Amino acid sequence: MAIDRTPVLKRCRQLGIDPVVMGINKESHRQPKRRRRQESEYGMQLREKQKAKFIYGVLERQFRGYYDKAMKTKGITGDNLMSLLECRLDNVVYRLGFARTRKEARQTVRHGHITVNGRRVNIPSYQVKAGDVVAVASKAKDLLPIKEAIVASNGKAAPAWLEVDIEKLQGSVLQIPVRNQIDLEIDAQLIVELYSK
């Protein structure tokens, strides 16, 4: 399996992402380099695609698969793409506050600590649907990383399309998110333009 080992803060600086989006509360004190050339249209499209891939932790082949699925679904392709990425199980675990970062959420899912509708699921790319109940497995409720994540996210509210019950360590998917419920600054239309060339 391919792994991106680029330091997170460096990649955030390259793509113009606030590290808080990645779940990291560190600040870089380096001064950003001034760009000498104006960025081309292709460069902007590529950067938006790289930003989406980096935030959700998806590699090119899988991302292309999401794009193809979004094209076949009714509606605006860019909005469908963002909804598909947002409905990944690892992202939902992060959004519910059971992990501090999406990478930590991915590992939590891979280790079998998460259940969907009472069944253990260890596939981070599993697509949740409206009405699904995502919970921490009973054996994993005392794990230190999950407890730390809950303490860290205590003041942070879950998005409107999710409902979380911290005491039971479970959350439910109220609906599939629409574009205005996704708080990430990604211009999905530029990604669609890039792939449609």
Side-chain angles (χ1 to χ4, degrees):
M1 187 173 90
I3 300 171
D4 183 9
R5 298 194 187 276
T6 311
V8 174
L9 286 178
K10 183 177 182 182
R11 197 78 176 111
C12 285
R13 199 166 50 249
Q14 287 171 346
L15 298 172
I17 302 170
D18 185 4
V20 175
V21 171
M22 301 302 294
I24 296 168
N25 292 325
K26 289 184 180 176
E27 286 185 23
S28 175
H29 298 291
R30 291 185 182 178
Q31 294 296 319
K33 291 182 181 176
R34 295 211 171 108
R35 293 179 185 257
R36 294 193 179 139
R37 295 183 290 158
Q38 189 175 358
E39 197 170 25
S40 67
E41 185 183 345
Y42 174 77
M44 289 190 299
Q45 293 166 349
L46 184 62
R47 193 177 74 236
E48 287 302 308
K49 183 185 81 165
Q50 288 174 333
K51 197 189 293 187
K53 282 169 51 181
F54 179 64
I55 289 172
Y56 289 103
V58 178
L59 296 177
E60 180 61 37
R61 183 182 290 184
Q62 196 175 20
F63 193 81
R64 182 64 198 229
Y66 284 126
Y67 173 76
D68 292 340
K69 194 173 178 183
M71 264 188 64
K72 292 172 187 169
T73 311
K74 286 182 183 177
I76 301 167
T77 305
D79 295 353
N80 294 340
L81 175 64
M82 292 304 295
S83 292
L84 285 169
L85 289 169
E86 200 69 13
C87 285
R88 285 172 54 94
L89 181 58
D90 56 356
N91 182 68
V92 171
V93 169
Y94 166 72
R95 293 286 195 186
L96 289 171
F98 301 152
R100 285 174 291 186
T101 64
R102 284 182 181 86
K103 283 186 178 181
E104 189 178 290
R106 183 185 184 95
Q107 189 174 23
T108 303
V109 173
R110 288 295 296 157
H111 288 188
H113 299 320
I114 301 296
T115 63
V116 178
N117 299 327
R119 270 185 46 233
R120 185 169 290 189
V121 178
N122 64 355
I123 302 166
S125 61
Y126 177 87
Q127 288 286 307
V128 297
K129 297 174 282 302
D132 282 353
V133 176
V134 178
V136 176
S138 54
K139 288 183 181 178
K141 286 185 178 178
D142 293 329
L143 288 175
L144 187 62
I146 292 173
K147 284 183 174 178
E148 286 176 350
I150 289 164
V151 169
S153 68
N154 200 13
K156 191 174 79 173
W161 57 279
L162 292 172
E163 187 177 55
V164 64
D165 185 349
I166 290 295
E167 290 177 14
K168 291 183 180 176
L169 287 182
Q170 72 178 28
S172 53
V173 181
L174 302 175
Q175 66 182 56
I176 299 298
V178 291
R179 184 63 184 105
N180 60 6
Q181 292 177 317
I182 301 169
D183 59 355
L184 298 173
E185 293 180 16
I186 296 172
D187 189 349
Q189 187 55 37
L190 288 176
I191 300 171
V192 173
E193 288 170 11
L194 178 68
Y195 276 125
S196 59
K197 283 184 176 179

